[in-house]
Each structure stands twice: as C-alpha cells, then as structure tokens.
Amino acid sequence: AQSVAQPEDQVNVAEGNPLTVKCTYSVSGNPYLFWYVQYPNRGLQFLLKYITGDNLVKGSYGFEAEFNKSQTSFHLKKPSALVSDSALYFCAVIRTDKLIFGTGTRLQVFP
Amino acid sequence: KAGVTQTPRYLIKTRGQQVTLSCSPISGHRSVSWYQQTPGQGLQFLFEYFSETQRNKGNFPGRFSGRQFSNSRSEMNVSTLELGDSALYLCASSLAGTLSGNTIYFGEGSWLTVV
C-alpha cells in the first residue's frame, strides 16, 4: 500500500514566486515525515522533518513544510523561489522502521 | 564533520560478476541503511544494519547482501549481476535508525552500470 504520494511529477514556477510541492501520506498514528532534495547526479540532501510539535517546520535553504493531520498532508513551501532550487524533491515517511519515499517531484524554477 | 562517504562513485560491471560497495557513516552514527534508486522503481529500501546486525530487510533477492563492521562502516554486495541491477545505490546513516525520528543522512551514492 502506498504510504506517501506526490501527485505532481513536475512543478514549474517563476523565480521570486512562492513555490509549493505537495505530499500526502497514508500511515496510521503519528507519522514521521521527511523532505529530501536531489540535484543531478547527486545523493539525497535532508531538508526538514516533522516528528511532533509545531505543525510548521522550518528547514534548510529557506524551505518550510506544513503538517496537516486532517488532510494527511505535508506540503513543502518556500516564499520566494530561486533558479538554484531546481531539482528533484522527495517526500518520505517512516513505516515499518524504514523510509518509504514518494515518486518525486521535479521542480523547475524559471528566471 | 564529514558526511556519509560512499566508494566507488561510479563503476561498470559485466553481467554475472559481483560488486562490493562501501559506505562510511557520519562519525558517531551506528545505523547504516542502503537504498536502490532506479528510474522505474524509484527509491527502494534494501537493508539496515545497526551495531553489526541486520535489523531490517527490504524485498530484494538473496543476491543482495550486506554487512557492518565494528567501526560502523558498511559494505553491500551484489552477486551474479543482472542488467536490472543498474542503479544508484545510496547509503544512509543515522544515530539509531528510524527510532524517535532520527534524521537520516544520505551519501552521494554509487552509480552501478551493468553491461
């Protein structure tokens, strides 16, 4: 069963505009949720995580994510996109003691 | 401090051969896990080691194996390579695995091409 879904294969946004990359989850209980970014030919870089507490999580490079239990979502956001933010973004959830990843969303920021 | 280090970064092997990939976790981290990334299957969990013991295993055939040494360094081995084993293999380290939501850090990966 799919534990985490990223409904958009690609998101396009103009530089300077706000960006949102969507993620929904389907695990029971209190989920541990993560966002990672992957640049071309590189590994995964940790951006942020939600464990418990404040629903708004702040992470690296100006990114933040909002945990919404009623909508089972954990969308990644940034107020002002940079061209250098263009990359592949993965949402992940911990299930059965391992990270389960979404299919990834390619973010393209146009100058 | 140094991040997760994986070697080699790139390698090409022939079908039927075997390969060993190495991973050095972040200093102090005792959990090492391995993931396979392919365009078709995405990111899939292979196995996790903690204190030299395999603690969790994904749904991969027995040709995929691993081990962890007393200094937490880990190796994974793939025997009798198949074309479908071509992938990016990612090593990840954390203090104690997924317990309590430990942050899991990834290395740059080892690109394996099987020809």
Side-chain angles (χ1 to χ4, degrees), chain A residues 32 34 36 38 41-46 49 51 88 90 94-102, chain B residues 9-10 35 37 43 45 48 56 88 90 98-109 111:
Chain A
Y32 292 165
F34 296 75
Y36 290 87
Q38 186 175 37
N41 301 317
R42 304 294 296 275
L44 300 177
Q45 289 184 28
F46 169 76
K49 67 179 180 182
I51 305 302
L88 189 56
F90 290 96
I94 289 178
R95 180 171 170 263
T96 57
D97 298 326
K98 58 184 175 287
L99 278 172
I100 306 295
F101 286 89
Chain B
R9 289 292 319 279
Y10 304 92
Y35 290 78
Q37 184 178 20
L43 283 152
F45 172 80
E48 184 212 359
N56 201 355
L88 176 64
L90 291 163
T98 58
L99 295 174
S100 303
N102 284 179
T103 299
I104 300 169
Y105 297 95
F106 285 82
E108 293 291 336
W111 287 93

Side-chain angles (χ1 to χ4, degrees), chain B residues 14-33:
Chain B
T14 305
R15 267 185 306 174
Q17 287 186 316
Q18 73 161 8
V19 66
T20 299
L21 308 178
S22 181
C23 172
S24 293
I26 293 170
S27 178
H29 285 191
R30 296 169 64 191
S31 167
V32 173
S33 49

